[in-house]
Amino acid sequence: MKVHVDEAKCCGAGQCVLIAPEVFDQRDEDGIVVLLDTEPTPPHHPAVREAAAVCPAAAITVDDET
């Protein structure tokens, strides 16, 4: 699994950080989400998929082919 956050789309809502704090964080200066791990391990995959699904800006994409 490979994860990408489109910073231009991110609205800083932070649901992804609450759902998968091992993978996502927010910048202090503007609240934009940053990735802590672009290729999370399998135990984190369900949380990453949930975070992508609830992102109000649809800024998170998940590639399961990698």
Side-chain angles (χ1 to χ4, degrees):
M1 168 184 278
K2 208 164 218 195
V3 183
H4 175 75
V5 173
D6 184 340
E7 291 184 11
K9 286 183 175 181
C10 180
C11 64
Q15 285 97 330
C16 58
V17 178
L18 295 173
I19 293 168
E22 323 68 25
V23 179
F24 303 99
D25 198 3
Q26 285 182 288
R27 295 191 302 230
D28 290 335
E29 62 273 8
D30 59 8
I32 299 300
V33 171
V34 294
L35 285 169
L36 299 174
D37 187 356
T38 60
E39 296 185 31
T41 58
H44 300 297
H45 290 186
V48 170
R49 284 188 191 92
E50 181 181 351
V54 302
C55 179
I60 301 169
T61 54
V62 176
D63 181 4
D64 285 316
E65 297 298 319
T66 56

